[in-house]
Amino acid sequence: QICLGLVKLLFYLAHSPLGSIVLLDFQPRQFVMVDGNLKVTDMDDASTEELSCKEDNDCTLDFPTKSFPLKCSSAGKCEGINEKKNLFNAYRYFFTYLLPHSAPPALQPFLSDILNATGDLRYGINETLKAFEKVLHLYKSGLYLQKRPLLLKEYISLKGFRTVEAEDYKCWPSYSHLGCLLSVHSPEEAAAICNSQSQCQSFIVTQQRTWTGRPLASFQSSPTDLVPDANAVVYIKRSASSGKRL
């Protein structure tokens, strides 16, 4: 969400009515989240000036660890230097820290492509936004779940019940520090996640939704404490539902 919001912001800056705008003091502290949207807090160091040049050799974009040769346009300006500077700063301050950990395994290769392409400045802001929107579509639609074995049949569903909220085993990247609370596309995906975690014996798909509209599922190590809830369904592993547990 943070990276997509940043890309949308940089897309606007690249195509603003004033021309391509560069953020000269590009630091994470210059941004805040407001109602789920990323905002710039300080525009004092923004500029529409693009580096003047006489030849391509005048257009090297330098960073502490990398340099990029750019073209000198017929108008005597370094082509796309403001856009590319913003994009590489987004890569080094945000993408490298957030993208490798922020998607289901099936989507991580797509984010790795974005990471590599922006890190080498092979993508401009238009291509970067398009790539992010593709990942978002796959994520929201559940298309990345195709060709998976059906695992929900390994669970007993108890309609009209939910588990008691209590501290349980932790997982990454959980929405709750008390246990394992993850976003899922469907109960089928939740079953696959539960199967992949050795501690998990049951789960419930809650009424809570993330910014993409996906429900949150709570995964638990014990399904013993159940309370009536007309709107809930508890899914318990068949292997855990025998004997005294149920």
Side-chain angles (χ1 to χ4, degrees):
Q1 182 180 12
I2 293 172
C3 291
L4 177 63
L6 178 58
V7 169
K8 288 181 176 179
L9 173 61
L10 297 187
F11 179 85
Y12 173 79
L13 293 179
H15 302 284
S16 84
L18 300 175
S20 183
I21 299 174
V22 63
L23 301 177
L24 298 174
D25 186 20
F26 196 115
Q27 300 284 340
R29 65 173 179 267
Q30 302 283 24
F31 301 88
V32 295
M33 293 292 285
V34 180
D35 296 328
N37 297 308
L38 199 70
K39 305 284 187 181
V40 183
T41 61
D42 185 1
M43 292 293 289
D44 289 347
D45 294 307
S47 174
T48 58
E49 290 295 318
E50 292 194 306
L51 186 64
S52 297
C53 57
K54 293 182 178 179
E55 56 184 27
D56 291 349
N57 288 338
D58 298 329
C59 293
T60 301
L61 183 56
D62 289 316
F63 291 96
T65 59
K66 275 190 175 183
S67 295
F68 300 95
L70 304 180
K71 296 289 185 181
C72 181
S73 71
S74 57
K77 299 290 183 179
C78 296
E79 287 185 359
I81 191 168
N82 288 352
E83 173 187 329
K84 292 179 184 298
K85 188 170 185 178
N86 284 341
L87 190 54
F88 190 79
N89 278 327
Y91 159 80
R92 66 178 181 144
Y93 287 120
F94 288 89
F95 297 174
T96 53
Y97 298 104
L98 299 178
L99 288 187
H101 315 290
S102 57
L107 291 178
Q108 287 174 3
F110 294 96
L111 295 182
S112 294
D113 288 344
I114 294 174
L115 197 62
N116 293 332
T118 53
D120 294 334
L121 286 185
R122 288 185 285 110
Y123 280 1
I125 192 62
N126 294 358
E127 295 86 354
T128 303
L129 179 58
K130 186 179 295 184
F132 266 102
E133 289 178 337
K134 177 182 177 180
V135 175
L136 181 63
H137 171 68
L138 294 172
Y139 185 61
K140 292 173 70 173
S141 65
L143 289 173
Y144 66 94
L145 295 170
Q146 291 180 347
K147 298 180 181 178
R148 283 192 169 195
L150 299 178
L151 300 173
L152 198 59
K153 61 186 179 182
E154 298 176 15
Y155 291 77
I156 294 172
S157 62
L158 297 177
K159 296 182 180 180
F161 291 92
R162 62 174 172 82
T163 51
V164 176
E165 290 186 19
E167 188 168 350
D168 207 318
Y169 76 91
K170 312 292 193 299
C171 68
W172 175 261
S174 177
Y175 283 79
S176 169
H177 67 281
L178 296 176
C180 185
L181 187 67
L182 302 173
S183 80
V184 297
H185 177 260
S186 63
E188 185 63 53
E189 183 181 17
I193 292 173
C194 190
N195 272 29
S196 70
Q197 299 173 346
S198 59
Q199 307 100 311
C200 185
Q201 297 297 315
S202 67
F203 65 87
I204 177 172
V205 180
T206 73
Q207 300 297 310
Q208 293 175 270
R209 300 274 170 170
T210 70
W211 66 281
T212 60
R214 288 162 54 101
L216 293 177
S218 176
F219 300 88
Q220 298 179 325
S221 59
S222 173
T224 52
D225 298 322
L226 302 177
V227 294
D229 186 333
N231 298 317
V233 181
V234 177
Y235 297 88
I236 303 173
K237 278 185 178 178
R238 293 184 183 275
S239 58
S241 62
S242 58
K244 295 181 180 180
R245 286 207 165 187
L246 190 57

